[in-house]
Amino acid sequence: MAALRRLRTSGILLFLLGFVRQQSQLASAFVTPQSSAMSALKQNGNKLQHATYQQTHLHLAGVEDLWSSYLSALDADPLLVKSVTAGVILGAADLAGQSIQQSMSDDDFDAGVDIARFLRFAFFGFILQAPWNHFYYLLLDGALPPTEDPFTATTGIKVVIDQFVQAPIFTVIIFVFLGTLEGKTLDDIKKQLDEDYSDTMIANWKLWVPATAINIAFCPPILRVLFLNVVFFFWSIFLSLKLNKGDSEEV
């Protein structure tokens, strides 16, 4: 009887041992694919991060190369580069102004792009705006050299000269120049000055006094016209709408 009991006990132990081994194998079979999947996900994630980094790095490198090339061209031929930049920016500003003007019109008729008007503004930027400001800043910085400290009396004086001597004169020139290109007579230009000059100068000071202070205080002399051109994009939209408001009334 004792031998029979020992035999039964041994059988039970062998059964339990076999069951445990079977469950262990099943668990291993389940865990291994999960671990492999997690490892694959991590590898794919690392590859994705690496690819994203490479794309970002290449994109930034492209921007840096473009900016470096622009600065090199600006250093080699500052007047031409400033003029081309101004022509592109002011032409784009007029296109934006035309789009705004058409969206504000009550008429559903799409007049399309006024190419002649676009070319006038682009030509204005290329032949007048950039050269004027190029030589103006050379003269201004020659008379009052830039200071290392941005917050000086020199900066304040230059802002006053720019906005209360230069700006009123240049605004008249803008009206005359663009009006002449448009085919207006001197009487028409004088009438437009009488109607719009005061409002234009008030709007000018609201934008350009702080912009000029930033430009003179913080921008290197070689980049001042570029900064001015960027701000001039928005100012040109205002001028485009102001000087061509008669067109929107006729549409």
Side-chain angles (χ1 to χ4, degrees):
M1 292 294 292
L4 183 58
R5 289 176 180 173
R6 285 195 296 269
L7 183 60
R8 289 178 178 175
T9 303
S10 298
I12 293 171
L13 291 174
L14 288 173
F15 173 78
L16 291 175
L17 181 60
F19 180 78
V20 170
R21 285 179 178 175
Q22 185 181 15
Q23 296 302 315
S24 177
Q25 291 174 355
L26 289 174
S28 299
F30 176 76
V31 171
T32 299
Q34 293 292 324
S35 300
S36 300
M38 289 299 295
S39 177
L41 284 174
K42 288 181 180 179
Q43 291 178 357
N44 291 336
N46 291 335
K47 291 179 180 179
L48 181 60
Q49 289 178 351
H50 182 66
T52 302
Y53 170 78
Q54 286 184 324
Q55 291 176 356
T56 304
H57 181 70
L58 289 174
H59 177 70
L60 291 176
V63 173
E64 290 173 358
D65 291 343
L66 185 62
W67 177 244
S68 178
S69 299
Y70 180 83
L71 291 179
S72 297
L74 188 62
D75 183 62
D77 198 340
L79 180 57
L80 178 61
V81 173
K82 291 173 184 178
S83 296
V84 172
T85 303
V88 171
I89 290 176
L90 269 64
D94 179 68
L95 292 178
Q98 290 190 44
S99 178
I100 294 171
Q101 194 172 28
Q102 289 183 14
S103 66
M104 294 171 59
S105 175
D106 295 333
D107 197 333
D108 294 334
F109 175 72
D110 185 4
V113 176
D114 187 341
I115 299 297
R117 174 174 153 182
F118 158 74
L119 291 176
R120 286 196 298 270
F121 266 81
F123 183 69
F124 160 66
F126 178 81
I127 207 70
L128 179 60
Q129 193 266 348
W132 172 280
N133 285 288
H134 171 76
F135 291 110
Y136 162 72
Y137 275 117
L138 287 177
L139 179 63
L140 184 65
D141 288 336
L144 296 169
T147 57
E148 293 184 3
D149 184 0
F151 304 105
T152 63
T154 299
T155 299
I157 292 171
K158 291 167 86 168
V159 172
V160 170
I161 293 173
D162 186 280
Q163 284 303 296
F164 298 97
V165 177
Q166 183 269 155
I169 296 172
F170 189 52
T171 300
V172 172
I173 293 174
I174 292 174
F175 273 78
V176 174
F177 183 86
L178 291 175
T180 301
L181 289 181
E182 195 175 346
K184 293 180 178 178
T185 66
L186 288 178
D187 289 338
D188 292 334
I189 296 172
K190 183 178 181 303
K191 179 181 178 182
Q192 189 168 38
L193 282 168
D194 291 338
E195 293 176 351
D196 298 330
Y197 181 75
S198 297
D199 292 341
T200 302
M201 286 310 304
I202 292 172
N204 170 89
W205 289 322
K206 289 178 180 178
L207 173 65
W208 283 105
V209 168
T212 301
I214 293 171
N215 195 9
I216 292 175
F218 297 105
C219 287
I222 191 66
L223 295 178
R224 282 185 181 161
V225 176
L226 176 61
F227 176 85
L228 184 146
N229 284 334
V230 173
V231 181
F232 218 96
F233 173 84
F234 302 99
W235 180 241
S236 293
I237 293 175
F238 170 82
L239 288 177
S240 178
L241 295 172
K242 192 77 171 175
L243 297 178
N244 294 279
K245 62 181 181 180
D247 296 343
S248 62
E249 293 172 357
E250 293 173 1
V251 175

